[in-house]
Amino acid sequence: MRARTRVFPRARRTGAGWLAAGALVVGLPLGSLVLQTGVQDAAAKGPKTACNLGTGNGNLKHVINIMFDNTHFTRDNPNVPSDLEQMPNLLNFIEGNGTLLSQEHTPLIAHTATDILSSFTGQYGGEMGQPIANGFGFYDDSNTAASFRSSFAYWTARLGGKTDNTPFMITPQGKNAPAPWVPFTRAGCDVGNVASANTVLENTGFDIPAVFGTNSPENTEQQSAFDIPCGFGKNPPCTPTQLKAKAQPAADFVGIGIHCAQNNAVCDNTGAVGDVLPDEPGGYTGFKMLQGAKYADPVISPSGPVTDLNGNVVTDSTGNAGFPGFDSMSAATSLGFVADMQEHGVPVTYAYISDAHDNHATGTAFGPGQAGYVAQLKAYDAAFGTFFTRLAQDGITTANTIFTFTSDEGDHFVGGPPSPANCDGVTVPCTYTKIGELQGNVTTMLGGNAVAPAGCNTPASIPLDVHSDSAPNIYVRCNPSQTDPAVRTIERGLGHIQAVNPITGETDHVTNSIAGVAEMNALHMITGDPRRNPTMTMFARPDYFLCASGFSCPQTDSQITETPGFAWNHGDNAPEINTTWLGLVGPGVKHSGVDSTTWADHTDDRPTLLALAGLTDDYTHDGRVLVEDMTQPQHVGNVAAYEQLAGAYKQLDASVGIFGEETLRASTVALESGDATNDTKYTTFTSALTALVAQRDALAAQIEHLLDLTGVSHGHVDTHSADQLTAQAVQLLQAAGELGGGA
C-alpha cells in the first residue's frame, strides 16, 4: 500500500527456482483481445517530438510502463481466481501478445518504494539509496533517538536534518542517484510520470519549495494552505471549504509530471522549471519539466481537466480537479492520464495503480473473494479493456509500443478462513470474521532484553526506535557498535519473543530471521549514508506488524491486537511476498505466454526495457537483460553462456537468491547465539560473512560489467570469461551454504 509508511501517525523464496522452477501457473483461457497491428501511428494530437527509440527497429514509437501495488498472478485462496485472473483483459493481452514471467522477485526489504525504485533503476537499494521503505530512520543526533522520513520524496530531495542533509536517493559515493528518465529525454523523448515513485512531487511542504523555490507562487500557495487555522490538531475542525483549500496544493502540484526532451514545445508552457540533476553522470543541462496537474493537464488535456477512462473528471476527495492522491489511483484514473499523455506528444509513460485489496473509502482491508475486492478488480479489468481499445484507435499498438507490467510485491494476507469455505468470490462472495494484521510492541515484547547502551542519554524503558513494519528496522539509540552488549542483548532477545495469535489461538515464535549490519550489507540494505543504516533488521512472521514504545505505537504492553484496517503485509522474507510477476509485450518480445522457468527480480526490469528500446544508462545495473524472452537475443553472442552466467549471478546477488537466503539463515542463528560471557559464535560468523560478502561484491562487479556490456550495450559475451565467472559464482554459492550449515 503506497501511503502506508506508518513511521508517522496516520502509512522464502529459496534459490531452488533457479535450479528447477515449479510454480503453479493458473490462468484463464487466452481470449481474442489483441491490439491491432499495422495501423498508422496517429497519436499526434499534441506536439510531436523527435523521439529516437529502437536499435535498427524504426517501428518503435512508444513505451508504456505500468506498476501495480500488491496485485497477484497466483491465487491467495485456491478457490478464488487471482487478481490477474479477474482482469482477463490485461492477462490475455500479456499472454496473447508477449510473455508473462511468473518468477519475478522483489529485493529486501520488499516494500512499495524499494521495489518500484529497483524496477525503475535496475539497482538494489544500497546502490540507489532506498533499501529501507516505505520510511526510514537516521541518526541526526547520535546522542538521542532516530529521526524518521518517508521514502517518498522527489528524486533530488535531501533529508533536511539538523546534521544530515544527504540526498534521499543516495549512491554509495554520497551522490544523488542517476534519474531513470534521462536516457529517454536525451533521445528526444518526453517522459510522463503518473504517481510513479519519486519521479513526481510526493508531498507539498517538502518538495514544492525544493523544486519551485521558497519565494515561488507555488510555495506561497502551499504555505497559505498550511496556515489555514484549522485541522491537523488545531481547533476548530476544518469546514468543507477550508479542507478544499488545504488540499488544493496537492491537487495542483503533486503526483503528475512530465520530464521533457530539450527544445520541446511540451515544456514551453506556464509552470515549466529546470530539470536539475547536478550529479547526473555525463551531465544534464538545458532540460525542463512540468510538475503537477496544474501545469501538465493543459498540455495533455487542452479541452479541460483530465478525465478517467469512464469520462469522470479526476478530482481529490474535496472536489479539487487535479491529482486525487496516491491511494486513489485506480486503473481507470491512472490509465486515463497515460492515454492523454500518449495522445498528446508524450511517448514514454510510467504509471502507478493503487492496491485493489483495500477499501480506500472506509480505510479497511478486503479479503480474497470479498464482494468489494471482486468489484474493484472487475472495474480494473473494464478499465484495461477501454485502455487497450483506445490506444489501438490511436495507432498505439503492439507493433510500435513496448508495454511492461509488474507489481511491486505480492503481500501476505492476514486473516482466518473465509465463509462459506468453498466461496470463489465471483459467484459466491467470501466473508471474513477474522481479518487484520497482528500489531504488537517489540519493546515490551522484549521486556528485560531491551536495554540502553552504556552512556546513552535515553530512558532505559525506550532504548530503541523502530521503523514500524512486518520486517521492522531497529535503531538502537545512540547508534552503538554491532558488538555493544546492549545490541547483542536485543538481538538474542528477538529470537525468543512469542505472542498468542488471536486468529489461531496458538503461541507463535514471532521472529523468523534477524540481520545485523554484515547481513544487511549482503542483502544490499546498507546505503552511502552511514547515519541512516539501522542497527539490525528483524523479519517477523508475516502476520505480525511491530512498532516500538514512544513512537506512533498504540500498543503499550505485550498485548497483540488484530487490526482490520490492514490485512496485507509485506517487507518480510516470504514466498508469497517476494515472488511476483512481470509482463512484457511489444517489438523484440517473444510470444511465449507464461514463462515459469526464468528466475528474475525487479532489477532486471530496467536493463531489459533499455535493451528493447535501444538505449543505455550511464551506470552499471544490478540486474541483467532477460534474453530468454527476447526474439533476437543473438546480439549477446553465445546466448547459452549469457543465460548460464546470468542465472548464477542472480542467485549470488539477488536479495532472495541462494546467497542471500543462506547467509540470512546463518545470520539468524549467529545473532541469537551466545551470552554475556561467550560470544564466539557470533564474532566468528560476522568475520566470515564480512569476508564472504567482500568476495561476492568483487565478483558481482565483474559479472555486472560483462552482462551490461553484452545485454544492454549489444556487445558479444566472451564465452571463456562467462564460463569462468559462472564457476566462481557457483563456488561462492557453495561457500554461503557451508556458512549456513556451520551456523
Side-chain angles (χ1 to χ4, degrees):
M1 182 175 179
R2 180 70 187 273
R4 185 187 173 181
T5 67
R6 301 272 285 279
V7 296
F8 306 108
R10 73 122 301 250
R12 189 155 346 255
R13 172 81 193 165
T14 68
W18 173 58
L19 304 174
L24 174 64
V25 178
V26 291
L28 298 176
L30 290 180
S32 59
L33 180 62
V34 178
L35 284 189
Q36 301 171 25
T37 60
V39 179
Q40 185 70 28
D41 187 0
K45 296 182 180 179
K48 196 72 174 174
T49 68
C51 182
N52 184 20
L53 294 172
T55 301
N57 184 353
N59 293 328
L60 184 58
K61 303 296 184 183
H62 309 270
V63 173
I64 297 176
N65 179 298
I66 303 295
M67 173 65 71
F68 284 92
D69 195 344
N70 183 24
T71 301
H72 306 178
F73 172 65
T74 54
R75 296 185 175 192
D76 299 293
N77 177 320
N79 296 324
V80 177
S82 72
D83 300 340
L84 287 187
E85 286 179 295
Q86 292 185 57
M87 290 189 283
N89 283 328
L90 173 61
L91 182 61
N92 293 344
F93 174 74
I94 297 171
E95 292 186 359
N97 297 284
T99 298
L100 188 147
L101 290 89
S102 64
Q103 292 297 306
E104 174 95 338
H105 295 80
T106 71
L108 290 177
I109 285 179
H111 268 305
T112 301
T114 302
D115 298 344
I116 293 176
L117 293 169
S118 294
S119 180
F120 283 2
T121 64
Q123 294 185 315
Y124 297 113
E127 293 291 322
M128 52 76 176
Q130 287 297 325
I132 309 297
N134 288 336
F136 60 93
F138 65 105
Y139 294 101
D140 202 31
D141 183 343
S142 62
N143 293 319
T144 58
S147 299
F148 286 84
R149 293 284 189 270
S150 167
S151 296
F152 296 112
Y154 182 64
W155 203 271
T156 56
R158 291 179 172 268
L159 294 190
K162 293 180 293 183
T163 60
D164 193 344
N165 196 35
T166 54
F168 272 74
M169 304 297 300
I170 189 171
T171 68
Q173 296 75 35
K175 300 290 188 179
N176 200 174
W181 59 87
V182 168
F184 296 103
T185 53
R186 283 177 176 165
C189 311
D190 293 336
V191 178
N193 297 102
V194 179
S196 49
N198 296 19
T199 62
V200 294
L201 273 61
E202 295 274 359
N203 53 76
T204 56
F206 207 76
D207 284 343
I208 288 177
V211 170
F212 290 105
T214 55
N215 297 321
S216 65
E218 294 83 3
N219 194 42
T220 298
E221 178 182 325
Q222 76 88 14
Q223 189 61 54
S224 297
F226 180 79
D227 289 340
I228 295 173
C230 69
F232 302 108
K234 304 173 184 177
N235 269 319
C238 290
T239 66
T241 300
Q242 288 173 318
L243 283 175
K244 184 177 175 68
K246 277 187 170 291
Q248 187 70 60
D252 282 347
F253 306 121
V254 171
I256 303 297
I258 301 174
H259 294 275
C260 291
Q262 286 182 326
N263 305 316
N264 194 331
V266 167
C267 274
D268 290 340
N269 289 277
T270 301
V273 294
D275 196 348
V276 180
L277 298 171
D279 292 338
E280 196 66 25
Y284 195 74
T285 57
F287 293 84
K288 296 180 181 179
M289 62 181 177
L290 299 173
Q291 287 293 345
K294 181 175 182 177
Y295 300 131
D297 279 10
V299 173
I300 65 174
S301 183
S303 60
V306 168
T307 61
D308 66 17
L309 293 180
N310 300 316
N312 304 306
V313 173
V314 178
T315 66
D316 66 15
S317 60
T318 71
N320 292 314
F323 184 62
F326 291 99
D327 282 343
S328 298
M329 297 304 291
S330 69
T333 298
S334 190
L335 297 176
F337 275 103
V338 171
D340 278 344
M341 288 180 174
Q342 289 284 339
E343 291 166 349
H344 292 86
V346 184
V348 179
T349 50
Y350 285 71
Y352 167 86
I353 295 178
S354 301
D355 188 350
H357 295 74
D358 290 305
N359 187 334
H360 298 293
T362 65
T364 57
F366 292 127
Q370 205 164 340
Y373 158 92
V374 172
Q376 287 189 160
L377 287 173
K378 185 175 182 179
Y380 278 26
D381 180 54
F384 273 100
T386 300
F387 180 64
F388 291 139
T389 298
R390 178 170 163 181
L391 292 185
Q393 292 170 348
D394 291 325
I396 302 171
T397 74
T398 58
N400 59 28
T401 307
I402 295 172
F403 295 84
T404 71
F405 309 88
T406 191
S407 176
D408 51 5
E409 69 269 329
D411 288 25
H412 166 86
F413 174 65
V414 187
S419 178
N422 64 343
C423 64
D424 63 6
V426 178
T427 59
V428 180
C430 301
T431 60
Y432 295 83
T433 58
K434 288 186 175 292
I435 185 173
E437 69 187 11
L438 310 182
Q439 293 186 1
N441 185 319
V442 69
T443 304
T444 54
M445 294 171 79
L446 279 166
N449 291 313
V451 297
C456 184
N457 185 23
T458 189
S461 60
I462 313 177
L464 52 85
D465 299 294
V466 164
H467 166 221
S468 303
D469 196 62
S470 184
N473 311 110
I474 297 173
Y475 299 80
V476 179
R477 294 196 173 182
C478 298
N479 198 9
S481 71
Q482 289 290 291
T483 57
D484 188 287
V487 173
R488 293 294 297 121
T489 298
I490 292 169
E491 288 169 342
R492 294 188 194 103
L494 290 174
H496 300 289
I497 60 175
Q498 297 181 334
V500 176
N501 187 321
I503 295 177
T504 65
E506 299 179 355
T507 298
D508 291 336
H509 288 278
V510 176
T511 303
N512 275 350
S513 307
I514 313 171
V517 168
E519 179 57 23
M520 287 190 290
N521 192 35
L523 300 176
H524 307 289
M525 293 169 63
I526 299 298
T527 72
D529 179 11
R531 284 180 289 191
R532 75 176 72 173
N533 298 324
T535 315
M536 67 197 74
T537 294
M538 168 191 174
F539 295 92
R541 293 172 67 102
D543 284 356
Y544 289 83
F545 187 95
L546 301 178
C547 55
S549 298
F551 190 83
S552 304
C553 189
Q555 281 74 26
T556 58
D557 53 28
S558 297
Q559 180 181 0
I560 299 296
T561 304
E562 186 180 4
T563 308
F566 299 96
W568 297 91
N569 277 352
H570 46 99
D572 283 299
N573 187 24
E576 66 274 24
I577 294 172
N578 304 134
T579 307
T580 182
W581 56 276
L582 170 67
L584 299 171
V585 173
V589 178
K590 287 181 180 178
H591 291 197
S592 300
V594 175
D595 176 356
S596 60
T597 59
T598 301
W599 201 103
D601 76 355
H602 278 321
T603 65
D604 301 330
D605 301 355
R606 174 71 172 186
T608 301
L609 172 60
L610 291 187
L612 290 169
L615 301 175
T616 60
D617 277 317
D618 288 324
Y619 59 87
T620 301
H621 302 104
D622 291 327
R624 57 85 167 205
V625 177
L626 296 167
V627 298
E628 293 89 336
D629 299 300
M630 297 174 65
T631 56
Q632 294 181 322
Q634 290 79 11
H635 70 267
V636 303
N638 188 326
V639 177
Y642 184 95
E643 291 180 0
Q644 184 178 29
L645 177 61
Y649 165 71
K650 296 311 297 187
Q651 296 309 312
L652 183 67
D653 208 41
S655 303
V656 293
I658 292 173
F659 189 94
E661 293 289 314
E662 290 290 348
T663 57
L664 182 58
R665 181 169 65 87
S667 170
T668 305
V669 174
L671 268 62
E672 293 176 354
S673 70
D675 54 37
T677 62
N678 187 348
D679 217 7
T680 302
K681 189 168 191 174
Y682 165 77
T683 56
T684 300
F685 164 79
T686 301
S687 177
L689 177 60
T690 300
L692 190 60
V693 171
Q695 294 179 57
R696 190 278 306 270
D697 289 348
L699 179 59
Q702 295 182 61
I703 298 176
E704 289 165 4
H705 176 73
L706 180 59
L707 293 177
D708 245 21
L709 182 66
T710 55
V712 178
S713 300
H714 288 206
H716 275 222
V717 65
D718 178 273
T719 304
H720 178 68
S721 297
D723 289 344
Q724 284 189 322
L725 292 172
T726 299
Q728 293 176 50
V730 171
Q731 289 178 348
L732 284 183
L733 292 174
Q734 293 172 342
E738 292 168 1
L739 183 68

